Amino acid sequence: PSPTPVVVELFNTQDLQPPSESSLGEMIQIGAQLQSLTGINVDNAPDIFTVSESRLQNFAWDFADMDLFDPGVKSAETVYEMLGLANPGSDFVSLFQNLWLDPNGTFYQPEKGFIAIAGFDFSTYQKYSFAQAYVQWLRNGQFSFTDLGLYPPCVIPSDSCLASLALVKGEAAFTASQWAQQVLDPDSRQELEDATLKYYLIPVLSPSPAMQAVRTFPYEQGFDFTEAIYTSGGWSTVNALYANPPKTTEQILHPTKYLQGEVGSEINYTDLAAILPEGWQAAFQGALGEWNTYLLLSSSTNNRTRLDAPAAQAAAAGWNGDYAQFFTATNGSRVMTIHWKWDTVDDAVAFANGLSTVAAVRVGGVQMEIAGTTCEQSSAETSC
């Protein structure tokens, strides 16, 4: 007889230890303080486990067993390589795993509803870390992260995926920061300010500038977005974010555009799958968004093809929608098309000038006319 199949349980918690009685009491108190701060009251509580950092890393490796993980990694790797934002063979597996661990050493698993926190002494830093994870648990109880399109893990470089990550991670970091300001004593707050965030709990081999920017975007730009929303109307406006989540990274980068309900325009595009001959496969089709557009101008692996940050921000700031298509062939050939729309003609000209500068240096070939368009062409690459 054939052997009975064994079902592998992702995120198995049977052998994990609960926190000590004193730590659990502090966690319950922190949870109550966060409920009071946000005005969200619940009767239940998450399962909480204290684990070693290596065990926390194992939870991230469990993500590698999910059906959507491999296609997402492949898609990101192909897109960022074709955009010149990552070198061939870059470690996108570890990058994706780190995206699902908070940089401060906690892991919240929405489907199972548990929080795992690295370390056993429940230091000031761990209290702040736990506060971030608890906020995510609290929000998921209101609005399912699955319904947000955030879980199972969404696919980078999708613009809506990055926007969702920025909402969840940035809001949790902001709310935990507000809690720390109200509850912790001055010495503890200073300890937090002096701490260096460890963004890579799983080592990533030589991450490119763009890969690092994607890792920090949810926490840094997401934090700033939430702070701006809070300033505009307090906790009621923050709590309302999940009922009407930001849909684009443009809204994250420009909170006033979120408040005004501005989203990118629909793009009329020609599906490359209907044009390319047999043997070509789609690696990614969707919106890159303002953040990835900014990275295209500012964060190439070749520092000669980078605009400085202010120039790149100015060139990308008029984004009004895009649709990108990345296809690969079995012989190694690659093609990408990106159709951008801009708020004004001046915005379009500013971006076109920036992109032309980047493309000319990247290709390093000669100018020639193809189908009525001025293009840069070398023996390896053509850019129009």
Side-chain angles (χ1 to χ4, degrees):
S2 60
T4 302
V6 176
V7 177
V8 177
E9 175 73 11
L10 287 179
F11 318 116
N12 185 4
T13 60
Q14 292 181 356
D15 59 341
L16 297 185
Q17 296 298 316
S20 67
E21 189 173 335
S22 61
S23 294
L24 182 59
E26 288 188 85
M27 290 174 180
I28 292 173
Q29 184 180 27
I30 291 171
Q33 290 165 343
L34 288 165
Q35 290 186 42
S36 176
L37 179 68
T38 60
I40 302 171
N41 298 310
V42 295
D43 296 326
N44 58 332
D47 292 326
I48 306 167
F49 303 98
T50 52
V51 299
S52 65
E53 189 169 300
S54 62
R55 185 56 189 270
L56 199 67
Q57 292 172 346
N58 285 341
F59 285 134
W61 279 106
D62 282 343
F63 266 103
D65 292 330
M66 300 188 74
D67 292 339
L68 294 179
F69 190 86
D70 284 343
V73 170
K74 275 291 184 187
S75 174
E77 184 177 3
T78 301
V79 168
Y80 280 96
E81 283 182 23
M82 290 174 70
L83 291 174
L85 298 177
N87 292 314
S90 292
D91 189 5
F92 277 88
V93 170
S94 298
L95 176 68
F96 264 62
Q97 290 168 327
N98 280 290
L99 281 170
W100 295 99
L101 294 175
D102 286 325
N104 37 31
T106 53
F107 175 77
Y108 167 59
Q109 208 289 318
E111 189 178 22
K112 300 295 183 182
F114 74 83
I115 294 171
I117 181 167
F120 303 94
D121 58 352
F122 209 49
S123 63
T124 298
Y125 198 72
Q126 288 175 310
K127 293 173 185 177
Y128 173 72
S129 302
F130 171 76
Q132 287 197 49
Y134 187 91
V135 170
Q136 293 175 64
W137 172 81
L138 200 62
R139 296 301 187 188
N140 186 53
Q142 280 190 301
F143 298 96
S144 167
F145 288 175
T146 301
D147 294 340
L148 280 176
L150 182 67
Y151 189 87
C154 56
V155 178
I156 304 293
S158 162
D159 188 48
S160 60
C161 173
L162 277 174
S164 295
L165 276 173
L167 168 61
V168 169
K169 301 297 186 179
E171 187 269 320
F174 173 79
T175 303
S177 176
Q178 291 290 298
W179 165 83
Q181 290 297 318
Q182 292 189 17
V183 173
L184 297 182
D185 59 66
D187 289 341
S188 297
R189 293 200 301 269
Q190 189 61 50
E191 183 182 340
L192 286 178
E193 289 179 14
D194 294 341
T196 301
L197 280 180
K198 185 177 181 181
Y199 278 104
Y200 298 107
L201 292 171
I202 293 178
V204 178
L205 184 63
S206 301
S208 68
M211 292 169 68
Q212 295 184 63
V214 167
R215 175 68 181 114
T216 59
F217 179 83
Y219 296 92
E220 295 180 358
Q221 281 71 28
F223 184 104
D224 292 345
F225 168 79
T226 309
E227 185 174 40
I229 297 300
Y230 174 80
T231 301
S232 75
W235 285 111
S236 61
T237 56
V238 173
N239 294 343
L241 283 171
Y242 289 83
N244 180 30
K247 299 174 178 62
T248 65
T249 55
E250 178 194 41
Q251 292 182 325
I252 298 293
L253 294 166
H254 310 283
T256 54
K257 294 188 176 183
Y258 168 78
L259 293 171
Q260 294 166 358
E262 181 178 332
V263 294
S265 297
E266 291 290 327
I267 304 295
N268 294 321
Y269 64 91
T270 300
D271 187 356
L272 286 189
I275 295 176
L276 293 170
E278 188 176 346
W280 287 83
Q281 295 292 325
F284 176 78
Q285 292 178 286
L288 293 177
E290 183 176 333
W291 182 246
N292 280 313
T293 298
Y294 161 74
L295 295 180
L296 173 62
L297 300 176
S298 68
S299 304
S300 169
T301 55
N302 179 354
N303 58 17
R304 293 176 56 247
T305 63
R306 298 177 195 162
L307 302 183
D308 61 55
Q313 288 169 355
W319 182 93
N320 188 30
D322 75 66
Y323 192 83
Q325 301 184 76
F326 297 78
F327 279 73
T328 61
T330 53
N331 65 0
S333 297
R334 295 177 170 187
V335 62
M336 62 178 172
T337 65
I338 309 173
H339 184 159
W340 281 279
K341 280 191 176 183
W342 299 91
D343 290 332
T344 69
V345 172
D346 287 344
D347 290 327
V349 170
F351 174 74
N353 289 339
L355 183 62
S356 295
T357 300
V358 169
V361 179
R362 167 178 166 161
V363 176
V366 296
Q367 281 195 351
M368 62 185 306
E369 189 172 295
I370 301 176
T373 300
T374 302
C375 304
E376 306 287 337
Q377 188 169 54
S378 70
S379 59
E381 188 170 18
T382 300
S383 174
C384 301

